[in-house]
């Protein structure tokens, strides 16, 4: 009973958040849900057995009201009012840069906090302003707009909205800049990351250095638009973004090296999890990265100890916490949706299909890569279809071939970057085999991106089709016989 | 398990040996290679002499593009450039230097020394100071020996001028490679061309001309081209750039002296190779 109630509570909470992200329910709605929920619970309390159905309903509604309330609170735009009045006008502002500025092809983008709201600044590459720089500037304040008019294209305002950014200033005039503000640990971490990235670029040529930066600390913007598009078309973009799966690979690599040296299992699992955290910290510790790290650790634990059931619950709990912190991730953050689905697939789908592929060779991790790719792709494809409208049939092959090299490339990339702090010659020596692996991955990405046959341009995959596909997948997962779960 | 490591180690040694011997064997007997890199609207020229001395002249508008191009033309293990030259502190020439200086070990940096407040230029100077990279001021008459029978001669500026136009302090250089000559004009305009005609006259005759100012009509005027008479004219401009470079007039001037026109906006990266007697051109998209 208690377990069921928890499940009902969680669905109520997620439901509330989900509905709120489509329609403006607001505090009024939250109040209504709460009143109804409490009333139903009281009914159950006084009339007992005959009204048993009212308890779960009441719990559901109360949970929904919490979700709705949290969303409304997160979304409350009261603080936007003063700036909304000045929309389109040139105004003077004072505030701090609160993100690690992203250097794009032509401009640098940074999140600026002033007057109680976040503003996206588009700046020239130089002078460089780092995280924590206090700026006094003037510029024309605008609300973000979509560049292209057609529906299917990327929704820029919604993308910014999930980070609570509702304003933009393009090329502001900076009057004075004072570095050294905001949270000192983050400032220190970003400095460390920049040094690490420079270490990589000192020993690897472009674009291999950019790929190394992508797979080790999820630094995507150094790749450049052209190469990013190549990876996207080959269905490989996720390897450039630090994902939970990437991190599981690192943990596996660290864990198996330690086990080979006869280190006790508990210690090696601990060290492997620590290595995941280390990667996440180096990657700047942003929300997306911490989510990836958490899910990476979950999957690693589950696969090490065979505790799939516990890991599933932990995954749901993690999703609850993440959604509570930022309720917009459910609808607006593709990285959250993708990593949640991918992690879920590794926990519920992979164990069930494993036995059908027992004939695959284990060398070079072919079997493991194949299974992981097949299950994550199955879970993620409908969502990708809905979001991008195109999917590569060959991406399964591309993924298996590229992922073979990923663990070693991540491992070497990480050590090359760290070695650069100590000795450049050492980093250079590590970089040679690393270069070979990265060049292989880039070659494959370009190869698969250039094949047209495997690409299905799917238009009109709407929400309903995606929901239908997910229903099919759910049935498949439930219908497949339970494979004996390994106990340690 | 042990045996595997042995093979790894052997493979590593073999790779190192191949790379080292390749360097040794090809040193001093190859050709000089000159690239006009495909970096969009701007200039970036890369020269590698037969003993692998490398010179980068200008760096294009942004780091990403020039790093990508350098990654393509240099061997993967080579992360050093012997000399970097800045013709003048405009964004489309200096923009890539902060990233180049961060990613490559640069032996020395040279330019006219024109003081300018452009942020990219300031950043470049800051990095030069931080990394202790020596700065050399370039003036007319200087020679930079690059290799056996290969040198750069600085033709301009004679001294720094005070002017609102940064182009007045342009670094113009002639690259001598055996019997072949490359005239590298940077963003030089008519004023500088007149100066060169007056001071160098017949010495301007060249095999390759890196045309001034991205083929704009402010440069490459007919009397100047008549003195230079290049076999090849290289124009570095971005695809569909908003300035309309290169200009029709410049193109027809070049056609009139029957120079073969090579354009980065149409041909992509341009490679010119010479053994000092003959010139080989290839377009690398």
């Amino acid at each position: 009973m208690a377990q069921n109630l928890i499940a009902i509570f969680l669905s109520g909470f997620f439901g509330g958040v989900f509905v709120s992200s489509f329609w403006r329910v607001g505090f009024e709605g939250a109040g209504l849900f709460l009143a109804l929920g409490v009333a139903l619970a009281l009914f159950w309390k006084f009339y007992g057995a005959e009204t048993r159905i009212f308890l779960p309903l009441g719990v559901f509604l109360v949970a929904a009201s919490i979700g709705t309330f949290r969303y409304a609170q997160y979304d409350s735009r009261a603080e936007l009012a003063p700036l909304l009045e000045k929309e389109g006008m040139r105004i003077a502002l004072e505030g701090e840069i609160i993100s690690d500025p992203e250097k794009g092809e032509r401009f640098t983008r940074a999140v600026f906090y002033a007057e109680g709201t976040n503003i996206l600044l588009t700046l020239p590459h130089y002078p460089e302003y780092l995280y924590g720089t206090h700026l006094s500037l003037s510029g024309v304040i605008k609300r973000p707009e979509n560049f292209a008019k057609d529906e299917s294209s990327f929704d820029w305002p919604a993308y910014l909205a999930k980070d609570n950014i509702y304003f933009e200033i393009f090329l502001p005039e900076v009057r004075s800049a004072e570095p050294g503000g905001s949270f000192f640990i983050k400032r220190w971490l970003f400095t460390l990351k920049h040094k690490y990235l420079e270490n990589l670029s000192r020993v690897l040529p472009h674009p291999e250095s950019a790929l190394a930066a992508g797979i080790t600390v999820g630094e995507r913007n150094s790749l450049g638009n052209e190469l990013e598009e190549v990876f996207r078309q080959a269905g490989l973009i996720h390897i450039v973004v630090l994902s939970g799966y990437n991190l599981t690979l690192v943990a596996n690599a660290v864990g198996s090296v330690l086990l080979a040296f006869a280190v006790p299992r508990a210690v090696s699992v601990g060290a492997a999890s620590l290595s995941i955290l280390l990667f996440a910290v180096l990657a700047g510790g942003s929300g997306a990265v911490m989510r990836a790290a958490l899910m990476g650790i979950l999957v690693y634990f589950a696969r090490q100890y065979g505790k799939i059931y516990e890991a599933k619950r932990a995954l749901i709990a993690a999703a609850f916490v993440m959604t509570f912190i930022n309720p917009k991730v459910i609808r607006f953050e593709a990285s959250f949706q993708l990593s949640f689905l991918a992690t879920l697939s590794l926990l519920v789908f992979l164990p069930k299909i494993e036995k059908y592929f027992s004939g695959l060779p284990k060398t070079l991790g072919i079997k493991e890569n194949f299974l992981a790719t097949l299950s994550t792709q199955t879970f993620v494809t409908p969502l990708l279809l809905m979001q991008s409208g195109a999917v590569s049939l060959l991406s399964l092959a591309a993924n298996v071939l590229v992922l073979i090299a990923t663990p070693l490339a991540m491992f070497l990339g990480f050590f090359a970057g760290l070695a650069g702090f100590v000795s450049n010659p050492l980093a250079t020596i590590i970089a040679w085999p690393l270069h070979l692996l990265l060049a292989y991955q880039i070659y494959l990405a370009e190869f698969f991106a250039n094949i047209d046959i495997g690409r299905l341009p799917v238009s009109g995959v709407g929400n309903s089709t995606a929901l239908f596909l997910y229903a099919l997948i759910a049935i498949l997962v439930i219908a497949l016989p339970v494979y004996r779960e390994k106990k340690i | 398990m042990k045996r595997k490591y042995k093979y790894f180690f052997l493979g590593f040694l073999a790779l190192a040996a191949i790379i080292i011997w390749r360097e040794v064997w090809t040193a001093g007997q190859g050709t000089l290679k000159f690239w006009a890199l495909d970096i969009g609207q701007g200039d970036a020229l890369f020269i590698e002499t037969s003993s692998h001395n490398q010179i980068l002249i200008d760096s294009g508008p942004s780091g990403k593009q020039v790093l990508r191009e350098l990654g393509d033309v240099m061997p993967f293990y080579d992360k050093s450039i012997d000399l970097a030259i800045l013709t003048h502190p405009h964004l489309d020439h200096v923009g890539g230097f902060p990233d180049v200086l961060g990613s490559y070990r640069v032996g020395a940096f040279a330019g006219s020394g024109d003081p300018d407040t452009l942020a990219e230029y300031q950043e470049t100077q800051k990095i030069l100071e931080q990394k202790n990279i020596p700065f050399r001021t370039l003036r007319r008459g200087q020679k930079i020996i690059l290799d056996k029978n290969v040198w750069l001669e600085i033709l301009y500026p004679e001294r720094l001028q005070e002017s609102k136009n940064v182009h007045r302090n342009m670094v113009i250089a002639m690259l001598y490679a055996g019997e072949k000559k490359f005239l590298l004009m940077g963003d030089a305009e008519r004023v500088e061309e007149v100066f060169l005609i007056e001071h160098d006259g017949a010495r301007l005759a060249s095999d390759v001309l890196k045309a001034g100012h991205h083929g704009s009509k402010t440069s490459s005027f007919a009397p100047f081209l008549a003195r230079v008479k290049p076999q090849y004219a290289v124009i570095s401009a971005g695809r569909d750039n908003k300035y309309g470079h290169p200009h029709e007039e410049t193109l027809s001037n070049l056609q009139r002296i029957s120079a073969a026109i090579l354009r980065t906006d149409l041909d992509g990266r341009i490679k010119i190779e010479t053994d000092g007697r003959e010139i080989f051109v290839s377009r690398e998209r």
Side-chain angles (χ1 to χ4, degrees), chain A residues 46 93 129 133 135 150 178 230 291 314 362 387 449 473 487:
Chain A
F46 290 122
L93 287 170
Y129 302 117
T133 304
L135 293 179
D150 69 293
E178 192 65 47
V230 164
R291 282 195 289 272
K362 279 193 168 173
Q387 285 171 347
I473 290 173
K487 291 277 177 205

Side-chain angles (χ1 to χ4, degrees), chain A residues 444-482:
Chain A
L444 276 182
E446 281 171 347
F447 175 78
F448 280 104
N450 283 329
I451 299 179
D452 279 329
I453 322 160
R455 193 163 310 118
L456 283 186
V458 195
S459 57
V461 175
N463 299 352
S464 47
T465 319
L467 277 180
F468 174 70
L469 287 173
Y470 277 119
L472 276 187
I473 290 173
I475 292 169
L476 185 65
V477 170
I478 294 165
L480 279 174
V482 181

Side-chain angles (χ1 to χ4, degrees), chain B residues 168-188:
Chain B
R168 290 297 84 79
N169 290 320
M170 187 63 50
V171 172
I172 301 175
M174 181 77 88
L175 169 67
Y176 291 83
E179 296 162 13
K180 297 296 167 186
K181 291 161 79 180
F182 296 61
L183 181 53
L184 313 176
M185 295 297 288
D187 270 6

